[in-house]
Amino acid sequence: MNTSARVAAVAALAAVVLGVTTPSQAAPAPAPAAAATVTATSTVGGSITRTEMIERAQYWVDKAVPYSQSAYYGDPQGRTYRTDCSGLVSMAWHLPTSATTWTLPNYSTKLADLDDLQPGDALNNINTHVVLFAGWTDASHTTANIIEHARTGTDARRSTYSRSYITANGFKPYRYNKVVDSPVTVPDKGMTNITAVGDLTGDGVNDIIAVESATGDLYRYSGPNFTGGTARVKIGYGWDAISDIVGVGDLTGDGVADIIAVDASNGNLYRYSGPNYNGGTKVQIGTNWDSMTNISAVGDLTGDGQPDLVAVEKATGDLYRYSGPSFNGGSRVKIGNGWNIYSTIVGVGDITGDGVADIIAVETATGNLYRYSGPNYNGATKVQIGTNWDSMINITGVGDLTGDGVPDLLAVNTATQKLYRYSGPSFNGGSAVEIGTNW
C-alpha cells in the first residue's frame, strides 16, 4: 500500500549502475551535495510547481531508493520521507510529513475525470496504492506514464499504467492543493543504462549501447569516443520498460555479444542477441530479478568457459555469483554479505594482473571508490582507489580503449551530463578525459 564481445572480452564489460566534481585519488571527502540535481524553489508544505514535483520524484528513481514501509530516505534537501508508495508522493509534493493513501486526500482535491490529470497529480486508490502521474503517452490518453514505489524488492521507478488498468483497479485522480499550474519542463536526463557490449561493428573497438531517457529508444555508439553523428545508430525502442541492461558477451555461440535485461514491470530476466538486440531475439531466462540490484558481468570466474554475473540481493545485502549461460537460481552461490552499502558495483576486467576479473564499488555513504579482486571479492582484497565517485552515474567498464593493455572506464558527471573516460588501473581524476556531452 504504502515500492549486462565475446567471452574473452566480457571481463571488461559492466552493467548499468546508478550513483558533483571529477573523482580524485583517495583522500578525505565531504558528503555529497545531492540537492544540486533538483531545482529547489518550494518550501515544506508550500506552493510547488509541477516541474519540481516531477524532478523530486525522479530524484528517488535516479538514486534507486528501495521500497520499505519502515525505512526513510532524504529528499534533495535532506528532509526524510517514508520509502513506500504514499511516501514517494508526499516527498514529490514536499509535504511536511509522510502521508498515507488515506490521508493524501487531505492535501489534495479529487478531479472530475482522468482526462483532467496533469504531471505531478496523483492516482490514488486509498485502500491499495498511489502513484505520481507524469503524463500521457498518447493524445488519446490510453496509457499513463507514472512514477511509483510499487512493492518490497523493487526500487522507485518509472512505469506505465493503461487507462483500463487504472479504471479497473479503482484509482482516482487527485491534485495537490498548493500546486502552481505553470508549464511543465521535464528535465533532460540524457542517456541511461549505458552498457558495454564489445565490438558490434567489426572495427576492433568496443561499442556501447544506451537508452535515451526522453524516448526509450535504444542506441548503439561506436568507440573509442562514442560521439554522436555517425557513431550513434538507433537500434530499438521501448527500452524505458527495462530497469537493468547487462553486457555479458556471447552466450549463444554465434560470435556476437548478447545482453541480458530485467523487465521493470514483472522482474523477468531476458536474453537478447546482438548486434541489434531486437524483440525477435528475446528469450526469457529467469524470474524475480527485480529482487536483485547492481547486476554486473565479471567474465568467467569458474573456469567453465562461460561468463558469470554477480548481483546483490536487495533484501539482505548478500552478494551472489551466477553462472552462464542462463544465470539460473541453481547456479547461484553466495560469496559475500554487507554489499548493500554500495550504490554502484561494476565489473572492470583484470586490473591487478592476476588473470582474474576485478570489480569496483562506490560506497553510498562516502562516495569512496574501492577495488575488489576476484574470484570471490572478499573484504581482504578491498583497496580504496578514489573519492567523490558519488558525483558520477552510468559507470561502465569498457575494456582497453587507449591501447595500453589496461581496462578503462566510462562515467557521466551527474551535474553536467558530460561523458568521461578514465584510464586504469586506478581510474584517478588525472586520467579523466571528456569525450561527450548531453549524456
Side-chain angles (χ1 to χ4, degrees):
M1 163 180 177
N2 296 31
T3 330
S4 189
R6 296 163 175 79
V7 170
V10 72
L13 305 182
V16 61
V17 292
L18 297 175
V20 186
T21 60
T22 300
S24 60
Q25 281 298 84
T37 62
V38 175
T39 303
T41 60
S42 66
T43 58
V44 177
S47 297
I48 184 170
T49 66
R50 297 187 179 280
T51 295
E52 188 178 350
M53 288 192 289
I54 297 298
E55 286 181 338
R56 288 173 63 84
Q58 182 67 41
Y59 177 78
W60 274 16
V61 175
D62 291 343
K63 292 295 184 180
V65 176
Y67 178 97
S68 171
Q69 290 186 334
S70 59
Y72 285 73
Y73 194 87
D75 70 359
Q77 289 74 46
R79 185 179 186 87
T80 59
Y81 293 84
R82 193 179 55 251
T83 56
D84 57 13
C85 65
S86 56
L88 183 147
V89 174
S90 300
M91 186 273 295
W93 287 357
H94 213 165
L95 297 184
T97 188
S98 295
T100 67
T101 54
W102 282 88
T103 59
L104 278 171
N106 297 337
Y107 300 91
S108 57
T109 300
K110 188 177 178 181
L111 304 177
D113 193 272
L114 292 178
D115 291 321
D116 295 329
L117 282 165
Q118 296 185 50
D121 293 339
L123 285 164
N124 189 6
N125 179 328
I126 63 171
N127 293 311
T128 57
H129 191 43
V130 63
V131 303
L132 194 74
F133 178 79
W136 296 105
T137 66
D138 57 328
S140 299
H141 294 185
T142 61
T143 305
N145 287 314
I146 58 98
I147 305 175
E148 67 173 349
H149 247 147
R151 62 186 183 276
T152 301
T154 65
D155 298 335
R157 66 191 186 187
R158 282 183 172 267
S159 188
T160 58
Y161 280 2
S162 67
R163 190 182 187 110
S164 59
Y165 178 88
I166 293 169
T167 301
N169 286 273
F171 287 99
K172 303 301 181 183
Y174 287 85
R175 177 163 299 158
Y176 179 46
N177 289 332
K178 296 184 179 180
V179 66
V180 178
D181 279 309
S182 57
V184 175
T185 302
V186 178
D188 176 13
K189 290 293 177 180
M191 309 302 292
T192 189
N193 268 329
I194 300 175
T195 307
V197 288
D199 179 18
L200 295 178
T201 58
D203 61 358
V205 182
N206 287 340
D207 305 309
I208 62 174
I209 59 174
V211 178
E212 188 173 60
S213 297
T215 64
D217 293 339
L218 182 69
Y219 288 87
R220 184 191 73 225
Y221 291 81
S222 299
N225 290 325
F226 313 107
T227 58
T230 57
R232 170 172 153 142
V233 177
K234 179 178 173 180
I235 59 174
Y237 59 91
W239 284 79
D240 47 354
I242 301 297
S243 62
D244 297 272
I245 302 175
V246 185
V248 290
D250 181 18
L251 297 175
T252 58
D254 63 357
V256 183
D258 306 307
I259 61 173
I260 59 173
V262 179
D263 189 310
S265 67
N266 56 31
N268 291 342
L269 183 69
Y270 295 91
R271 185 192 71 225
Y272 292 80
S273 298
N276 290 324
Y277 312 112
N278 60 62
T281 69
K282 177 179 176 180
V283 177
Q284 183 179 337
I285 60 174
T287 60
N288 298 321
W289 278 80
D290 51 355
S291 67
M292 310 300 291
T293 188
N294 276 324
I295 307 168
S296 304
V298 289
D300 179 18
L301 296 177
T302 60
D304 63 355
Q306 294 288 343
D308 303 309
L309 294 177
V310 295
V312 177
E313 189 173 59
K314 293 178 182 178
T316 65
D318 293 338
L319 181 69
Y320 288 89
R321 184 191 72 224
Y322 292 81
S323 297
S326 294
F327 313 109
N328 59 59
S331 73
R332 168 172 151 152
V333 177
K334 180 179 173 180
I335 59 174
N337 54 57
W339 283 79
N340 50 356
I341 67 171
Y342 295 110
S343 62
T344 300
I345 299 173
V346 181
V348 291
D350 179 19
I351 54 179
T352 60
D354 64 356
V356 183
D358 306 306
I359 63 175
I360 59 172
V362 179
E363 189 174 54
T364 304
T366 65
N368 291 340
L369 182 70
Y370 294 93
R371 184 193 72 222
Y372 286 82
S373 297
N376 289 324
Y377 312 111
N378 59 62
T381 69
K382 178 179 177 179
V383 178
Q384 184 179 339
I385 59 174
T387 62
N388 296 331
W389 278 81
D390 50 356
S391 65
M392 311 301 287
I393 57 173
N394 283 316
I395 306 172
T396 307
V398 289
D400 179 20
L401 295 176
T402 59
D404 62 357
V406 183
D408 303 308
L409 279 182
L410 298 180
V412 177
N413 185 283
T414 305
T416 66
Q417 291 185 250
K418 291 181 178 179
L419 179 69
Y420 289 87
R421 184 191 71 227
Y422 291 83
S423 298
S426 294
F427 314 111
N428 60 66
S431 73
V433 178
E434 181 187 328
I435 60 173
T437 58
N438 298 321
W439 282 81

